[in-house]
Amino acid sequence: MILHSTNNLKGQLKTVGEALLTHGYIDKEYALQVKGVRNLHDVIMRLRGLGWNIKTNRDKTTRLYTLVRNVSQESEFLMLAINNSLHRADFKLAQKQSEKLNKLLKSQLH
């Protein structure tokens, strides 16, 4: 199992990797408009070459690249997100994230 990390990445690889780790997905428009990444497809291909498990979802308007995490990684991500939300006193967001974590864990019991 590969744990995704941006520690050894630089430039656009690091920018896209951080976005994937933070949000779980990225699309071309966000990459270009917000992160300044022009050729997202090439960056995604390079990350895949480094062992990142990234799924491509295509629809009529755009491609959405989604970071595939196992249950353990997803749970850890959600726990960190809950902690950050509580630290910022954003209790509504923390509650939504807690519900998502609870649903994820319950799904593993069946």
Side-chain angles (χ1 to χ4, degrees):
M1 171 182 68
I2 293 178
L3 296 175
H4 304 109
S5 172
T6 59
N7 291 343
N8 296 323
L9 302 178
K10 294 181 181 178
Q12 291 185 345
L13 287 173
K14 185 171 186 134
T15 301
V16 172
E18 288 172 346
L20 285 167
L21 289 173
T22 302
H23 306 293
Y25 59 89
I26 191 168
D27 68 5
K28 186 177 180 178
E29 184 177 336
Y30 176 80
L32 181 60
Q33 300 290 334
V34 178
K35 298 295 185 180
V37 176
R38 292 195 179 274
N39 200 345
L40 180 60
H41 180 72
D42 287 346
V43 174
I44 294 295
M45 295 304 290
R46 289 173 59 201
L47 286 171
R48 285 178 177 152
L50 294 172
W52 286 56
N53 190 1
I54 302 169
K55 182 173 68 172
T56 303
N57 298 319
R58 293 185 178 105
D59 64 15
K60 292 180 182 178
T61 58
T62 189
R63 286 184 187 164
L64 182 68
Y65 298 98
T66 306
L67 182 63
V68 179
R69 295 184 273 232
N70 64 30
V71 174
S72 174
Q73 291 169 323
E74 187 67 23
S75 298
E76 183 178 349
F77 171 78
L78 285 169
M79 287 187 286
L80 289 171
I82 292 166
N83 187 40
N84 289 337
S85 297
L86 291 173
H87 183 71
R88 293 189 316 267
D90 189 344
F91 301 114
K92 284 186 178 182
L93 181 58
Q95 182 178 1
K96 285 182 182 180
Q97 292 164 333
S98 294
E99 290 168 358
K100 188 174 180 181
L101 176 61
N102 200 10
K103 184 178 178 182
L104 173 69
L105 295 175
K106 281 183 180 179
S107 73
Q108 296 303 303
L109 296 175
H110 303 300

